[in-house]
Amino acid sequence: MNTYKWSICSFFLILSFVSITAMGQINLGNLLKSTKSSNNPTTTDISSALKEALTIGISKGADQLSAKDGFLSNPAVKILFPPEAQKVEKSLRQLGMGKLADNVITSLNHAAEDAAKEAKPIFVSAIKQMTIKDASQILLGSDDAATSYFKRVTTSQLMEKFSPVVTASLNKMGATKYWSDAAGKYNQLPLVKKVDTDLSAYVAEKAIEGMFIQVAREELDVRNNLGARTSPVLQKVFGYADKQK
């Protein structure tokens, strides 16, 4: 009887030892796995790093475009005559009124530069409102994922802010008068189809388009410029994103 009890006790002791050993191996495996993946950024890291990088990039881009000649001296965003009015410019230059055409173009771009000053707080607000899901999708998305996000959440606000600024600036810069003179001269020519462009709406739309062109450039820089990764969290997060490509 005592032998039987001892055998039972021994069996359960052995079973307990095996179970404890197995659990220890499982826990050790999980720990090793966790340690191995500990270099991956957390969702909080991703959100923080992306917001930091985009805020820096957007601020830089907005400052560049809102500076004097920020639009005018940048071929990628420079605003020219509206497509339907390019024949106006051509006719003016042919008639020796190139200076008037130049004045129109200069004033359009200076109006856009004035409007661009309103862009930074709108973009920064959009960055602050990004969810962790937004940030993760942008980080691991296409090279223009952030630009697409900004287009989706800021376009209507930008148009609302830009329109009155553009209108006021066009008047201040004399663009309204230059444009009226240019269109008037052209419309007086025989056998031409009269041009009547809503200049404020056109410039506001082109200014916003220019902002997104600049945003796309800054986004590429954020993603590809190793020198821009100035903090440990930026290095960790964007290094992780590089490996996922």
PDB file of all heavy atoms in Angstrom, residues 100-115:
ATOM      1  N   LEU A 100       2.842  94.149 -69.589  1.00  0.00           N
ATOM      2  CA  LEU A 100       1.536  93.958 -68.967  1.00  0.00           C
ATOM      3  C   LEU A 100       1.306  92.488 -68.634  1.00  0.00           C
ATOM      4  O   LEU A 100       0.817  92.150 -67.550  1.00  0.00           O
ATOM      5  CB  LEU A 100       0.435  94.465 -69.897  1.00  0.00           C
ATOM      6  CG  LEU A 100      -1.014  94.295 -69.421  1.00  0.00           C
ATOM      7  CD1 LEU A 100      -1.215  94.958 -68.063  1.00  0.00           C
ATOM      8  CD2 LEU A 100      -1.996  94.866 -70.458  1.00  0.00           C
ATOM      9  N   ALA A 101       1.692  91.589 -69.543  1.00  0.00           N
ATOM     10  CA  ALA A 101       1.561  90.153 -69.304  1.00  0.00           C
ATOM     11  C   ALA A 101       2.419  89.723 -68.116  1.00  0.00           C
ATOM     12  O   ALA A 101       1.987  88.927 -67.267  1.00  0.00           O
ATOM     13  CB  ALA A 101       1.955  89.372 -70.553  1.00  0.00           C
ATOM     14  N   ASP A 102       3.639  90.268 -68.046  1.00  0.00           N
ATOM     15  CA  ASP A 102       4.533  89.938 -66.925  1.00  0.00           C
ATOM     16  C   ASP A 102       3.941  90.421 -65.593  1.00  0.00           C
ATOM     17  O   ASP A 102       4.045  89.736 -64.570  1.00  0.00           O
ATOM     18  CB  ASP A 102       5.901  90.577 -67.124  1.00  0.00           C
ATOM     19  CG  ASP A 102       6.679  89.944 -68.267  1.00  0.00           C
ATOM     20  OD1 ASP A 102       6.365  88.789 -68.628  1.00  0.00           O
ATOM     21  OD2 ASP A 102       7.593  90.610 -68.788  1.00  0.00           O
ATOM     22  N   ASN A 103       3.330  91.602 -65.623  1.00  0.00           N
ATOM     23  CA  ASN A 103       2.719  92.140 -64.402  1.00  0.00           C
ATOM     24  C   ASN A 103       1.585  91.250 -63.911  1.00  0.00           C
ATOM     25  O   ASN A 103       1.410  91.051 -62.702  1.00  0.00           O
ATOM     26  CB  ASN A 103       2.192  93.555 -64.645  1.00  0.00           C
ATOM     27  CG  ASN A 103       3.301  94.591 -64.732  1.00  0.00           C
ATOM     28  OD1 ASN A 103       4.410  94.363 -64.248  1.00  0.00           O
ATOM     29  ND2 ASN A 103       3.012  95.726 -65.359  1.00  0.00           N
ATOM     30  N   VAL A 104       0.810  90.724 -64.853  1.00  0.00           N
ATOM     31  CA  VAL A 104      -0.280  89.822 -64.480  1.00  0.00           C
ATOM     32  C   VAL A 104       0.292  88.593 -63.776  1.00  0.00           C
ATOM     33  O   VAL A 104      -0.148  88.206 -62.685  1.00  0.00           O
ATOM     34  CB  VAL A 104      -1.102  89.391 -65.716  1.00  0.00           C
ATOM     35  CG1 VAL A 104      -2.078  88.269 -65.346  1.00  0.00           C
ATOM     36  CG2 VAL A 104      -1.871  90.575 -66.288  1.00  0.00           C
ATOM     37  N   ILE A 105       1.298  87.960 -64.388  1.00  0.00           N
ATOM     38  CA  ILE A 105       1.878  86.727 -63.835  1.00  0.00           C
ATOM     39  C   ILE A 105       2.508  86.983 -62.465  1.00  0.00           C
ATOM     40  O   ILE A 105       2.308  86.202 -61.514  1.00  0.00           O
ATOM     41  CB  ILE A 105       2.919  86.145 -64.811  1.00  0.00           C
ATOM     42  CG1 ILE A 105       2.213  85.634 -66.067  1.00  0.00           C
ATOM     43  CG2 ILE A 105       3.718  85.026 -64.144  1.00  0.00           C
ATOM     44  CD1 ILE A 105       3.155  85.178 -67.164  1.00  0.00           C
ATOM     45  N   THR A 106       3.242  88.067 -62.344  1.00  0.00           N
ATOM     46  CA  THR A 106       3.893  88.397 -61.069  1.00  0.00           C
ATOM     47  C   THR A 106       2.861  88.599 -59.965  1.00  0.00           C
ATOM     48  O   THR A 106       3.009  88.084 -58.845  1.00  0.00           O
ATOM     49  CB  THR A 106       4.754  89.662 -61.205  1.00  0.00           C
ATOM     50  OG1 THR A 106       5.786  89.418 -62.163  1.00  0.00           O
ATOM     51  CG2 THR A 106       5.389  90.046 -59.873  1.00  0.00           C
ATOM     52  N   SER A 107       1.808  89.324 -60.277  1.00  0.00           N
ATOM     53  CA  SER A 107       0.797  89.610 -59.251  1.00  0.00           C
ATOM     54  C   SER A 107       0.014  88.354 -58.867  1.00  0.00           C
ATOM     55  O   SER A 107      -0.362  88.182 -57.699  1.00  0.00           O
ATOM     56  CB  SER A 107      -0.157  90.710 -59.731  1.00  0.00           C
ATOM     57  OG  SER A 107      -0.802  90.343 -60.929  1.00  0.00           O
ATOM     58  N   LEU A 108      -0.206  87.453 -59.814  1.00  0.00           N
ATOM     59  CA  LEU A 108      -0.898  86.189 -59.493  1.00  0.00           C
ATOM     60  C   LEU A 108      -0.081  85.391 -58.485  1.00  0.00           C
ATOM     61  O   LEU A 108      -0.620  84.826 -57.521  1.00  0.00           O
ATOM     62  CB  LEU A 108      -1.113  85.354 -60.754  1.00  0.00           C
ATOM     63  CG  LEU A 108      -1.989  85.919 -61.878  1.00  0.00           C
ATOM     64  CD1 LEU A 108      -2.161  84.880 -62.980  1.00  0.00           C
ATOM     65  CD2 LEU A 108      -3.336  86.365 -61.350  1.00  0.00           C
ATOM     66  N   ASN A 109       1.210  85.320 -58.715  1.00  0.00           N
ATOM     67  CA  ASN A 109       2.081  84.522 -57.840  1.00  0.00           C
ATOM     68  C   ASN A 109       2.265  85.161 -56.474  1.00  0.00           C
ATOM     69  O   ASN A 109       2.318  84.451 -55.456  1.00  0.00           O
ATOM     70  CB  ASN A 109       3.427  84.295 -58.532  1.00  0.00           C
ATOM     71  CG  ASN A 109       3.340  83.256 -59.625  1.00  0.00           C
ATOM     72  OD1 ASN A 109       3.441  82.068 -59.365  1.00  0.00           O
ATOM     73  ND2 ASN A 109       3.127  83.696 -60.854  1.00  0.00           N
ATOM     74  N   HIS A 110       2.343  86.478 -56.427  1.00  0.00           N
ATOM     75  CA  HIS A 110       2.454  87.134 -55.127  1.00  0.00           C
ATOM     76  C   HIS A 110       1.170  86.950 -54.315  1.00  0.00           C
ATOM     77  O   HIS A 110       1.215  86.830 -53.079  1.00  0.00           O
ATOM     78  CB  HIS A 110       2.759  88.622 -55.307  1.00  0.00           C
ATOM     79  CG  HIS A 110       4.175  88.892 -55.718  1.00  0.00           C
ATOM     80  ND1 HIS A 110       5.211  88.022 -55.440  1.00  0.00           N
ATOM     81  CD2 HIS A 110       4.734  89.953 -56.383  1.00  0.00           C
ATOM     82  CE1 HIS A 110       6.343  88.517 -55.911  1.00  0.00           C
ATOM     83  NE2 HIS A 110       6.086  89.684 -56.489  1.00  0.00           N
ATOM     84  N   ALA A 111       0.027  86.906 -54.988  1.00  0.00           N
ATOM     85  CA  ALA A 111      -1.235  86.636 -54.286  1.00  0.00           C
ATOM     86  C   ALA A 111      -1.229  85.228 -53.701  1.00  0.00           C
ATOM     87  O   ALA A 111      -1.691  84.996 -52.575  1.00  0.00           O
ATOM     88  CB  ALA A 111      -2.413  86.816 -55.244  1.00  0.00           C
ATOM     89  N   ALA A 112      -0.708  84.266 -54.456  1.00  0.00           N
ATOM     90  CA  ALA A 112      -0.614  82.881 -53.966  1.00  0.00           C
ATOM     91  C   ALA A 112       0.327  82.801 -52.775  1.00  0.00           C
ATOM     92  O   ALA A 112       0.080  82.049 -51.815  1.00  0.00           O
ATOM     93  CB  ALA A 112      -0.132  81.967 -55.087  1.00  0.00           C
ATOM     94  N   GLU A 113       1.411  83.562 -52.803  1.00  0.00           N
ATOM     95  CA  GLU A 113       2.362  83.574 -51.689  1.00  0.00           C
ATOM     96  C   GLU A 113       1.710  84.123 -50.421  1.00  0.00           C
ATOM     97  O   GLU A 113       1.938  83.604 -49.319  1.00  0.00           O
ATOM     98  CB  GLU A 113       3.585  84.403 -52.081  1.00  0.00           C
ATOM     99  CG  GLU A 113       4.454  83.722 -53.129  1.00  0.00           C
ATOM    100  CD  GLU A 113       5.236  84.682 -54.014  1.00  0.00           C
ATOM    101  OE1 GLU A 113       5.332  85.879 -53.661  1.00  0.00           O
ATOM    102  OE2 GLU A 113       5.738  84.235 -55.052  1.00  0.00           O
ATOM    103  N   ASP A 114       0.878  85.143 -50.586  1.00  0.00           N
ATOM    104  CA  ASP A 114       0.144  85.673 -49.434  1.00  0.00           C
ATOM    105  C   ASP A 114      -0.793  84.610 -48.865  1.00  0.00           C
ATOM    106  O   ASP A 114      -0.892  84.428 -47.647  1.00  0.00           O
ATOM    107  CB  ASP A 114      -0.677  86.906 -49.843  1.00  0.00           C
ATOM    108  CG  ASP A 114       0.161  88.178 -49.854  1.00  0.00           C
ATOM    109  OD1 ASP A 114       1.318  88.129 -49.395  1.00  0.00           O
ATOM    110  OD2 ASP A 114      -0.348  89.212 -50.318  1.00  0.00           O
ATOM    111  N   ALA A 115      -1.471  83.906 -49.752  1.00  0.00           N
ATOM    112  CA  ALA A 115      -2.429  82.878 -49.312  1.00  0.00           C
ATOM    113  C   ALA A 115      -1.723  81.722 -48.616  1.00  0.00           C
ATOM    114  O   ALA A 115      -2.243  81.139 -47.657  1.00  0.00           O
ATOM    115  CB  ALA A 115      -3.224  82.362 -50.509  1.00  0.00           C
TER     116      ALA A 115
END
